[in-house]
Structure formats: structure tokens, C-alpha cells
Amino acid sequence: IIFQDLLILGSEVSESYDAAPGHIRAYHVKTGEMEWIFHTIPQPGEPGYETWPKDAWRYTGGANNWGGMSLDESRGMVYAPLGSPTYDFYGANRKGKNLYGNCLVALNAATGELIWHFQTIHHDLWDYDLPAPPTLVQVKREGKTIDAVSLTSKVGFLYVFNRETGEPLFPIEERPVPPSRIPEEEAWPTQPFPLKPEPYVRQAMDVEDLTDVSEEARAAVLQRFEELYTKGFFTPPDSQTTLLIPGTRGGSEWGGTAFDPESGVLFLNVNESPELMNLQREQDEQKGKKLSLYDRGKKYYLNYCAICHGSERQGVLPHFPSLVKVKDRLDEQHIISLLERGKGRMPAFSHLSDSRKSALAAFLLEQQDKEFTPNLQTQTSERGGSYRNLTAYSYFRDPEGYPAIKPPWGTLNAIDLNTGEYIWRIPLGNFSEKQVLEGPETGTENWGGPIATAGGLVFIAATQDRMFRAFDSKTGELKWETELPGGGYATPSTYLYKGRQYVILSVSGTEQMPGGAVYAFALGSRD
């Protein structure tokens, strides 16, 4: 965010035990000097320090602003949603509420001083960080117009606050949630639940919610479901495989929302994407000697790499490439070099022992016969690291790869912020091969966000079916669509040029179009 002569920066950091803290910094654009810093993990003497163990600020990371900020320039206030403290799924070394993890913080843009905050998740154990910039909106109450800020979440709650004071404009109450069964873990006993608007995703699953796209899919999912541990919403990670819903990719993604100031309606796209968790105590290299180097590498891959590249190495486009056939591109030396130095969005994993790096390389290169050598150097700088989610970011899916929950798997929603009521809700995207004859579309997982125009349209791409669509903002009726050559996983923009309005969108790369492309469409034209 630029404010006057200041460049205000968040960061993307590792989500492992040894992650850096996600402090927010402001630099003077002319001198390059740092003008202020806001410690997202408070240090001694700062407000919020008491919500952590005494020395946690020395070794805990995360709580970073990776999803972007919003600026109220006239008030000189910047609004930054923050991520989870590390480690995402285990917090015995960070007992307490853990401010300012999972908080919306409102800062004085000139000084970095905290004006107000709201924590959406206490002592996060689910990686339920805040994924998108908040939206500056206006809400009408009793004949008055209130400047407000709305905030989306992975858990399906929409929060709306007074922009100046942080007062919630719809009631929020603390409710009891299940305790943890993991030794030494202390899950926070309550979590905040907004009473309006209603959640925009399902926050629990039972047998009735399981997929019905085919008898075979339902039977397979039912068998797996009966093996899972679940106590409903906010079930803590457990050593018994646990259902995580809405999931780390459920609810809202990074695309943010669109707001129509004339009607007071907010438009947001969301995912229904349950996941599986399995929290296990870590073992060092000297234990479990019967495991091959390949099997050890698979375990470490799930620990360190699956968060970005997927549990099956399939990648998560558009940012994280597939590693399925990495042996055709890289050798052991290149893989270990990447682990030690990082590249692009990939952080360095130089803290890993030599044996873990070798095991990861053996797994990625599919060297199943390579022997484990236990006398390699072993070391770790991961303070407090004793448990890992071995199935982190693993979707709960049917045998064909579709979500284990009933469709719709993605929706577009219109919410009246003056009342907190839904105007309409429709499936967004479609897997036509799974659509019931003459039934509603299935929806798909979607990334990227919508824009709303004064002409009464909502434009959005985002979906896995590569379609770019325009909907009637009042009714949700589909007015126009076109197929893109790649994934439209960005939020579109609109602009006026020589009296004509355009909508423009970044399109992700494919094998045929590796560099991606930018497509512009002219309103009132067929091109």
C-alpha cells in the first residue's frame, strides 16, 4: 500500500516451525529508510504480549499479511488481515490467544500505531488465516450511513466493522468449541461466531452431506467418512485422521469481494472444499530404521512441501507447479540446491538436516531402492516442533478426484450489507460430466474475485472450467460467458478508453501458452 511517501509492506513467510515473524513495515519511498514497524507477534511491553508465552516472540513466526491490505486515505488508516502463527496445526509452544495472529488490524498509516483489532480465530490450529484484502464499504442504519470495512474468511464468516472504531455492525458472540486430545496442546475454549450474515459455506458434514454424484462415489466416501474423527466445526487436529471443514482452501480465497455502493450489496465467490488432517509426533532420522530413504522422503514431503505442491505432488495452479515428473527436469544436486537456497515464492529450507534433504530428493526422483544412511548429519532449528500434520492440505475427495461433499462445490453470493441477508446465491462454475440432467450446475473450486459495475453486471472468471462470466447483479442471472485458453485465476478490472468500456483479465499459462496472457473484452462488441 502507498500512503503519501510511505510504502507499507506485508510479507509471505514459511509456515513451518522456524518461520520468520510477519511484521508489517513502512519505508520512505525517496530515502529507502524504514519509517515504522508493527510487530504482529508482540514484543515485551507491547499490547498483546501477554497472549503468548514469555519468550514466544523470539521463536514464533507467521502472523503475516500475505493477502493484501486496504487503505482509507482520508482517515490515514490501513487495514491489514493477518495469517496464522506457526506451526499452523500445533501450538503447544505458543499457548494463549496469540495476538495478532488471525486478526484484522487497523493501523495509523503514518506511524504504524495500532488503532483497533479483531481476532477471528483464537490460537489457530487449522491454518484459518485471513486470505484477502478487506473491502471498504458503506452500511445504512437508521437513516445514517456508516463507513465500514468488510472482511472475508476461510471459515465462511463475513465480518463487518465500523471503519474508525472496529465496532462490529452485526452481533458476534463467543461460543464453546471442542478441546484438543493432543498431549500438551491447549485449544482455546471459545471462538467468535458472527450472528449475521449466515455462513456462506457449510461448516460441518454428516452422512447427508456426502457426495451423491454417483453411487460408487458415495459408497467410497461413506467408508472413509466413517473412519474420521469429527466433533463438528473447530474440531482440533488429532492423531486420528480428522475432518477439516470448511478447510484451508474452503470459504473465501485471495480474490476478495466486490461492492455496489448504490445498492449496498457485496458480491463474493466461495469454495466448498473439505480436507483431512492427521497430526503425528515427529521422529528423528535415527528412529524407524526400517523405513527406506524414499519412504522417509515421502514423510518429509508431506511435512514441508505438500502445503504448496499438494499431497500427490500435483501442484496448485497458478502459483505452485506440479512435481509429478520432476526427475525429467532436475537431478539430486539441483533439488538440494533449491532446498538450501529457495527460489521465487519457494522459501529456503536450509535448516533441514542433510539426511532430510537427501530423503526429499530420493522421493521426488522416485529412487525407491536407494538406501538410508543413518550417520548423516542430523540437525534441526525448529524450536518446539514435535507434531506435524502428515496429511496437510489433502483434499477429502471421491475416487475420481471430486469433492466428497455434495455440490455445489463453488458459489457466487450477493449479500445486502444493510440487512445481512442474502439476495441470491448461485453455483459458480461447472463440471458438466457430473451435472445431474437438467439439474443445477456443480460449481467448482475457484480463485480470483469479482468486480461489480454501475451498469448492473458482476464479472468473474476464477473457476476451474476456464469460463469468464457476467451476471445480473440484481438477480444472479447469467448474461454472458466465454471460454478462456487458460485459468482466469485473477480478479478482472474495467476501464474506459475513447468512450468505450473494457474488461481486462490475466490468464494463467498452459503448455500451449506457457507465459500466460492478458485478455481485454470490449462491451458492446462481439470480440
Side-chain angles (χ1 to χ4, degrees):
I1 288 288
I2 290 285
F3 176 72
Q4 298 178 356
D5 287 337
L6 297 179
L7 173 62
I8 305 172
L9 291 177
S11 60
E12 183 169 358
V13 301
S14 163
E15 298 191 39
S16 189
Y17 281 105
D18 64 336
H23 305 325
I24 299 173
R25 298 169 174 85
Y27 296 87
H28 197 286
V29 297
K30 296 180 180 178
T31 68
E33 296 294 324
M34 188 173 73
E35 296 290 322
W36 57 256
I37 183 171
F38 174 75
H39 295 129
T40 63
I41 299 174
Q43 299 186 3
E46 296 177 341
Y49 172 73
E50 71 283 356
T51 67
W52 297 82
K54 180 181 177 181
D55 293 322
W57 66 279
R58 297 182 183 274
Y59 60 81
T60 304
N64 56 309
N65 171 252
W66 63 267
M69 312 175 195
S70 297
L71 175 71
D72 184 330
E73 191 169 11
S74 63
R75 289 181 169 85
M77 294 176 67
V78 62
Y79 303 89
L82 299 179
S84 312
T86 57
Y87 171 56
D88 294 327
F89 303 101
Y90 181 67
N93 66 334
R94 53 174 175 86
K95 295 177 181 179
K97 275 192 173 181
N98 301 154
L99 295 179
Y100 294 96
N102 307 84
C103 283
L104 177 63
V105 294
L107 305 178
N108 183 315
T111 66
E113 178 186 4
L114 178 68
I115 299 174
W116 60 263
H117 75 276
F118 182 85
Q119 188 174 45
T120 61
I121 306 289
H122 311 314
H123 189 78
D124 187 14
L125 300 174
W126 306 271
D127 192 26
Y128 279 153
D129 47 6
L130 296 169
T135 303
L136 302 185
V137 299
Q138 292 185 320
V139 176
K140 294 181 180 178
R141 292 285 175 84
E142 299 176 351
K144 297 181 179 179
T145 299
I146 302 172
D147 286 344
V149 56
S150 67
L151 179 71
T152 60
S153 67
K154 291 181 180 180
V155 297
F157 286 137
L158 180 71
Y159 309 86
V160 186
F161 304 101
N162 182 298
R163 215 181 291 179
E164 290 188 348
T165 66
E167 175 190 1
L169 297 188
F170 297 103
I172 300 176
E173 65 180 24
E174 291 283 330
R175 295 180 183 175
V177 293
S180 174
R181 304 193 303 185
I182 296 295
E184 301 183 11
E185 180 61 87
E186 294 182 9
W188 199 260
T190 63
Q191 295 292 347
F193 285 71
L195 303 189
K196 266 196 169 185
E198 292 184 359
Y200 45 78
V201 293
R202 288 164 279 189
Q203 296 174 326
M205 279 177 69
D206 58 27
V207 172
E208 295 302 315
D209 295 302
L210 298 181
T211 183
D212 56 1
V213 296
S214 71
E215 292 183 6
E216 294 78 12
R218 183 173 178 81
V221 165
L222 176 60
Q223 181 179 3
R224 185 71 175 113
F225 180 76
E226 291 175 342
E227 300 169 352
L228 301 178
Y229 173 64
T230 177
K231 293 294 183 180
F233 194 24
F234 286 118
T235 302
D238 196 79
S239 56
Q240 179 182 350
T241 301
T242 307
L243 177 66
L244 179 62
I245 181 171
T248 65
R249 297 186 185 97
S252 298
E253 287 283 0
W254 63 72
T257 63
F259 179 67
D260 180 355
E262 294 297 321
S263 64
V265 174
L266 189 81
F267 305 95
L268 70 158
N269 54 303
V270 303
N271 294 322
E272 303 270 1
S273 185
E275 295 178 22
L276 302 177
M277 299 185 290
N278 188 274
L279 202 66
Q280 297 293 334
R281 186 179 294 276
E282 288 191 298
Q283 304 294 325
D284 62 32
E285 284 83 354
Q286 302 299 324
K287 297 180 181 179
K289 293 182 180 179
K290 292 182 180 180
L291 287 178
S292 68
L293 196 64
Y294 174 89
D295 289 334
R296 291 172 185 276
K298 182 177 181 180
K299 181 178 71 171
Y300 302 145
Y301 174 86
L302 292 172
N303 285 350
Y304 303 113
C305 311
I307 180 176
C308 294
H309 297 285
S311 59
E312 302 298 327
R313 298 183 291 169
Q314 74 275 15
V316 180
L317 294 176
H319 294 301
F320 307 113
S322 168
L323 300 178
V324 171
K325 295 183 178 181
V326 72
K327 65 179 182 180
D328 296 338
R329 308 192 302 270
L330 302 176
D331 58 20
E332 181 178 5
Q333 181 179 353
H334 283 102
I335 290 174
I336 290 178
S337 177
L338 283 171
L339 289 170
E340 291 176 343
R341 300 180 183 180
K343 183 179 180 181
R345 292 170 62 93
M346 176 183 167
F349 289 87
S350 54
H351 65 281
L352 295 181
S353 65
D354 289 345
S355 60
R356 293 195 177 198
K357 294 171 192 170
S358 295
L360 276 166
F363 172 68
L364 293 172
L365 297 173
E366 301 178 28
Q367 297 170 339
Q368 301 195 32
D369 298 328
K370 195 168 184 179
E371 293 185 0
F372 169 60
T373 305
N375 61 353
L376 291 172
Q377 170 198 6
T378 60
Q379 62 182 16
T380 179
S381 64
E382 296 180 346
R383 175 161 182 173
S386 57
Y387 278 87
R388 287 274 184 183
N389 181 2
L390 298 186
T391 56
Y393 311 100
S394 297
Y395 293 101
F396 183 24
R397 290 184 165 174
D398 71 20
E400 293 187 81
Y402 296 99
I405 200 168
K406 281 181 181 177
W409 298 318
T411 62
L412 182 62
N413 303 262
I415 302 175
D416 186 338
L417 292 188
N418 300 315
T419 64
E421 300 294 335
Y422 286 77
I423 304 299
W424 48 261
R425 176 185 292 177
I426 57 172
L428 180 62
N430 194 36
F431 292 122
S432 57
E433 68 276 15
K434 293 299 175 183
Q435 183 180 6
V436 176
L437 185 64
E438 298 184 357
E441 294 188 339
T442 65
T444 76
E445 189 168 356
N446 51 86
W447 308 277
I451 58 169
T453 71
L457 294 176
V458 176
F459 287 92
I460 186 168
T463 52
Q464 290 179 297
D465 59 9
R466 297 185 174 184
M467 300 299 290
F468 189 20
R469 297 173 169 92
F471 298 93
D472 186 299
S473 62
K474 293 183 179 179
T475 66
E477 178 187 358
L478 179 66
K479 306 298 289 187
W480 170 85
E481 64 180 349
T482 188
E483 187 172 2
L484 300 168
Y489 303 138
T491 301
S493 299
T494 185
Y495 61 94
L496 196 67
Y497 179 68
K498 293 185 177 180
R500 196 171 196 183
Q501 190 173 1
Y502 295 80
V503 177
I504 194 167
L505 177 73
S506 292
V507 177
S508 296
T510 63
E511 288 187 13
Q512 296 76 26
M513 187 181 65
V518 176
Y519 278 76
F521 300 87
L523 272 66
S525 126
R526 295 185 180 181
D527 301 321

